[in-house]
Amino acid sequence: MKSRFNTQKAISINNKSYHYYDLKALPESYNIDRLPFSIKILLENLLRFMDGVNITDKDVEAVLHWDPKAVPDQEIAFTPSRVILQDFTGVPAVVDLAAMRVAMKKLGGNPNKINPLAPVELVIDHSVMVDHFGNNKAFNQNTELEYERNFERYAFLRWGQNAFKNFKVVPPGTGIVHQVNLEYLARVVFENNTNGTSYLYPDTLVGTDSHTTMINGLGVLGWGVGGIEAEAAMLGQPITMLIPQVVGFKITGKLPEGATATDLVLIITQMLRQKGVVGKFVEFYGDGLDNLPLADRATIANMAPEYGATCGIFPIDDETLNFLKLTGRPQEQIDIIEHYTKAQGLFRVKNQKEAEYSDVLSLNLSEVVPSIAGPKRPQDRIPLTQSKEAFKETICQQLAERQDKVSDDMAINEGANIIEGEVPIVLNDQHHMLRHGDVVIAAITSCTNTSNPAVMLAAGLIAKKAIEKGIHSKPWVKTSLAPGSQVVTDYLEKSKLTTYLDQLGFNLVGYGCTTCIGNSGPLLPEVEQAIQKGNLQVSAVLSGNRNFEGRIHPQVRNAYLASPPLVVIYALAGTMNIDLYKDPISKDKNGNPIFLKDIWPSHEEIQAEIKKSVSPELFRARYAAVYDGDQHWKNINVTESELYQWEENSTYVKHPPYFEDMSLEVPKIENLNNARVLVKVADSVTTDHISPAGSISSKSPAGQYLLERNIPVSDFNSYGSRRGNHEVMMRGTFANIRLRNQMAPGTEGGWTTHQTSGEVMSLYDASLRYAKENVPLIILAGKEYGTGSSRDWAAKGTRLLGVRVVIAESYERIHRSNLIGMGVLPLEYKAGENADQLKLTGQETYSVKLDDLKPQGDVTVEVEHNGNKRSFKATVRIDTPKELSYFKHGGILHYVLRELAKNGK
């Protein structure tokens, strides 16, 4: 296609010629130096994929004339270089691709057209559970259980690895997807040979995990999307998006002694949440980046979903190149990255002219103080100096809200130093008291922090000092170490710190998300019994990024995010009811008090360990055979076939119903008539509330389904692991034990009131009854509906329950996109309005005309109750014409399938 933007140029690197789309070749009048780093990457993407249909000169012009202050209204098509998956979200994505092959054949097309066109890498990291801990056999024992529980899923992924082109699987026990991406998979700059010509372009990606943004720390633009949107990207569909606003975050100064990257990211998360950056890019800049190691940048980028941004990107600079050398990347690759990014103006240099931003925040690193966040949201930062008082306020509030009556011996005593409420327990023949706020889980886990040698080695140094002073973890604390890559184990071993962590109970339990995703496993039986007996409000401390209600463990009401060294400290203390700056953590064998300052390592000690223990050789050795897997993986035998052979009795992988009775014709959108409310919720309902990933209760509809198929409770596994089975997942939709559905007042969990009968029943049973009555369903929600993980089942399950419309005050970006991708219409109340202001009880019937939808247009919602009719306006949160096309087709996969079937007969 002819374009007036003729920017293709040649560049020579190490005597080899490459072609690229040169941003500096654009006319000087456009002043591209004013554009943020991230906008330049989008610009290059448009120049490279310009075809006159999806991308035209007009789109390029729109980016060149980007107005940082304007409300985004210009749609562009972004084509990522690759897609990354993890197994919880990746398995259903591959299930959908397998189902699309079957549907393609029925539609008369070629099943092999359903094949990834861009490189796709899936890392199995979400399935290991902490069943065993605190001993040197824990890793092997947990691995054995992981393969026993997930054999069907893993066999399915082995089939996919053979059946699909451009699809690779990193086996279990290797590491967490984002850390493996950071340390090995990321290209930073892609080299691709097309018709004999080598092209260079930025590495960009989307992933089916919201923390895909961790790779932004390496200067790679990418973010989390739902599985269905990722599948479309795999199949060659560009991702439609509005040219975003970019918030600049200026970093100056240097972190003070005692502060960690975790403390820094908790402050940044709080600041950006308060600013409001949902749907925006955040870009970090400033001289303070010179004092920010790549691992710290990755920690900050990882938490972009927690501060609400689409991405949190850092520019490529000398520190990026240093990290690539450290992680064992070939020098040839590093040379290409350096020369290409400098030629494109994508390399940060000192005293660089500041770009224009939509808004600017700033932080001097010297102001960062040790912090934790909780008890149920990552953005709720608490300075460590205030943690005891904040904890007491939380406990008093929770006890006051309890529906059961607190007995006299468990009274709230706000004036006392210790909040009362205790149950005697015996552990290892020793008598103890378990109290409100006691820490029962202390987990060094998650991609966020286990990629950072500074905080991991700090945790090891604290363990060493603790053992030397004769103090240990409290016996009621379930301790665990789940690093993000095998390299972490290597450098902890090399530093001789592993033995001290082991002595505190922080033995290796697996390489995966574990506690952060809800795979914390059971507590000690004595602890569980004590919690139940006293209805104790106990706590978890983890080095993760998520601490939503009900996520970490069903019996743990409060969860706090903290750095790995603080996780160790809280395991030693055993309680949140402590001022770590004033109160002793523990007492040594002679009864002498041990304080935080006595065992906290200095910056010099930590850096000395990093220099001594972390080397490129560790990374090269661990990633030399990254796709091979252990003997368990190698022993999985799979029959090679074009179409997957679905097993009728499988409770893990089942043929989904999305494409049943589908034709090549686009169906007519039916108006919504006399719909009933299935769910009515308040603000900040997360995807964990909508589609939990943790344990399955035997009393729940999903548990009953499994019991009916002779699956013992011990083999239930988790909702996350069974995402390949729609029967389990639709029964588990809204099954979070902490969900408060206002349609069933006084209940917690997956309950609702069937409106026509007035009977309180499970959401799943109610949806079946409504379906028999041909009654469509809607959901009423508050602000930030669908925050949290990029969980496509939160949208899939919603649709399979019969929900056609959601009306909310605001949406988190990924969930809104996922709803559209499944053919569910997201509507938004007008500013200043919500269900309470409009006096919507949920007992009404709702009708909406859907035959003339327009992106971001208005619709009239008609409400009727007891013969009284009224109406209100709502905004259609279909934001782009492309999204409208997806919705009209019944979902994004239906759109892609029809397009491929028409062109692939």
Side-chain angles (χ1 to χ4, degrees), residues 695-717:
S695 59
I696 302 172
S697 167
S698 59
K699 298 178 181 178
S700 68
Q704 291 299 306
Y705 170 86
L706 294 173
L707 289 173
E708 289 167 4
R709 282 148 186 80
N710 300 315
I711 305 297
V713 174
S714 59
D715 291 340
F716 273 13
N717 211 331

Side-chain angles (χ1 to χ4, degrees), residues 85 87 89-100 122 124 150-164 167 169 633 636-639 641-647 650 652-656 721 723-725:
L85 315 171
D87 56 310
T89 51
V91 165
V94 181
V95 166
D96 289 350
L97 292 179
M100 288 177 75
L122 184 150
I124 300 175
N150 298 287
F151 182 82
E152 289 181 48
R153 299 169 67 239
Y154 292 173
F156 172 67
L157 289 176
R158 286 295 304 267
W159 167 82
Q161 192 175 27
N162 295 332
F164 295 112
F167 178 63
V169 177
W633 184 256
I636 299 175
N637 295 316
V638 180
T639 302
S641 58
E642 177 185 79
L643 301 178
Y644 183 68
Q645 305 303 308
W646 307 95
E647 295 183 21
S650 173
Y652 277 99
V653 179
K654 205 166 184 65
H655 193 180
S721 67
R723 286 181 184 168
N725 185 328

Side-chain angles (χ1 to χ4, degrees), residues 130 133 262 439-447 449-450 456 459 473 477-483 501 504-507 509 512-521 523 539-546 552 559-572:
V130 189
F133 70 100
T262 313
V439 174
V440 297
I441 292 176
I444 300 176
T445 181
S446 160
C447 50
N449 292 291
T450 61
M456 295 301 289
S473 301
V477 183
K478 181 173 185 176
T479 47
S480 60
L481 170 65
L501 286 165
L504 291 187
F506 287 98
N507 304 77
V509 296
C513 296
T514 62
T515 303
C516 195
I517 191 62
N519 288 354
S520 53
L523 303 176
S539 303
V541 182
L542 64 149
S543 62
N545 46 42
R546 294 278 161 85
I552 304 305
Y560 294 88
L561 305 183
S563 64
L566 277 178
V567 171
V568 177
I569 293 294
Y570 275 108
L572 296 169

Side-chain angles (χ1 to χ4, degrees), residues 512-780:
C513 296
T514 62
T515 303
C516 195
I517 191 62
N519 288 354
S520 53
L523 303 176
L524 291 169
E526 299 90 340
V527 172
E528 289 198 358
Q529 291 165 14
I531 293 170
Q532 292 171 354
K533 181 178 179 181
N535 199 0
L536 298 178
Q537 313 290 303
V538 293
S539 303
V541 182
L542 64 149
S543 62
N545 46 42
R546 294 278 161 85
N547 56 340
F548 302 133
E549 283 187 300
R551 181 183 178 101
I552 304 305
H553 190 281
Q555 288 184 291
V556 177
R557 174 71 69 167
N558 304 304
Y560 294 88
L561 305 183
S563 64
L566 277 178
V567 171
V568 177
I569 293 294
Y570 275 108
L572 296 169
T575 180
M576 296 303 301
N577 189 42
I578 183 172
D579 184 333
L580 291 175
Y581 287 95
K582 296 178 181 178
D583 303 334
I585 296 167
S586 190
K587 293 182 180 179
D588 64 17
K589 59 185 178 182
N590 297 320
N592 299 315
I594 304 297
F595 293 88
L596 178 68
K597 62 183 176 60
D598 297 327
I599 58 175
W600 192 270
S602 68
H603 177 76
E604 286 74 17
E605 287 178 280
I606 296 168
Q607 291 306 309
E609 287 295 340
I610 292 175
K611 188 174 181 179
K612 180 178 70 175
S613 307
V614 186
S615 67
E617 290 72 29
L618 298 181
F619 292 90
R620 292 194 191 103
R622 280 298 186 181
Y623 286 110
V626 68
Y627 299 111
D628 292 353
D630 61 11
Q631 200 57 46
H632 294 91
W633 184 256
K634 294 173 182 176
N635 289 341
I636 299 175
N637 295 316
V638 180
T639 302
E640 294 190 19
S641 58
E642 177 185 79
L643 301 178
Y644 183 68
Q645 305 303 308
W646 307 95
E647 295 183 21
E648 185 64 30
N649 296 326
S650 173
T651 56
Y652 277 99
V653 179
K654 205 166 184 65
H655 193 180
Y658 313 130
F659 310 113
E660 289 179 0
D661 303 322
M662 179 181 167
S663 68
L664 288 174
E665 299 302 317
V666 181
K668 181 182 178 182
I669 298 177
E670 296 181 0
N671 291 327
L672 187 76
N673 293 315
N674 298 317
R676 288 289 190 174
V677 177
L678 182 68
V679 174
K680 181 174 182 281
V681 286
D683 298 343
S684 299
V685 167
T686 70
T687 50
D688 279 85
H689 287 112
I690 304 168
S691 184
S695 59
I696 302 172
S697 167
S698 59
K699 298 178 181 178
S700 68
Q704 291 299 306
Y705 170 86
L706 294 173
L707 289 173
E708 289 167 4
R709 282 148 186 80
N710 300 315
I711 305 297
V713 174
S714 59
D715 291 340
F716 273 13
N717 211 331
S718 65
Y719 282 112
S721 67
R722 292 188 179 274
R723 286 181 184 168
N725 185 328
H726 64 278
E727 296 287 0
V728 172
M729 296 309 295
M730 63 188 292
R731 287 167 171 80
T733 304
F734 293 105
N736 187 302
I737 60 171
R738 301 297 177 213
L739 179 77
R740 296 174 185 85
N741 183 9
Q742 296 171 23
M743 297 309 298
T747 67
E748 269 193 331
W751 302 97
T752 192
T753 300
H754 178 251
Q755 292 297 304
T756 50
S757 68
E759 184 180 348
V760 175
M761 60 182 68
S762 75
L763 278 150
Y764 174 73
D765 289 335
S767 72
L768 290 182
R769 191 176 294 188
Y770 281 127
K772 288 181 181 178
E773 298 167 351
N774 292 318
V775 174
L777 301 173
I778 70 166
I779 291 170
L780 301 179

Side-chain angles (χ1 to χ4, degrees), residues 70 343 371 425 457 467 470 505 609 671 691:
S371 303
I425 58 172
L457 288 167
I467 293 298
E609 287 295 340
N671 291 327
S691 184

Side-chain angles (χ1 to χ4, degrees), residues 411-429:
I412 305 169
N413 189 345
E414 297 185 49
N417 189 45
I418 296 176
I419 296 172
E420 298 172 1
E422 55 188 28
V423 175
I425 58 172
V426 179
L427 298 168
N428 300 323
D429 298 324

Side-chain angles (χ1 to χ4, degrees), residues 41 135 171 188 227 242 287 349 398 488 544 557 596 611 626 720 764:
I41 296 174
N135 64 75
V188 185
L242 299 174
D287 293 341
V349 295
Q398 289 175 346
V488 177
R557 174 71 69 167
L596 178 68
K611 188 174 181 179
V626 68
Y764 174 73

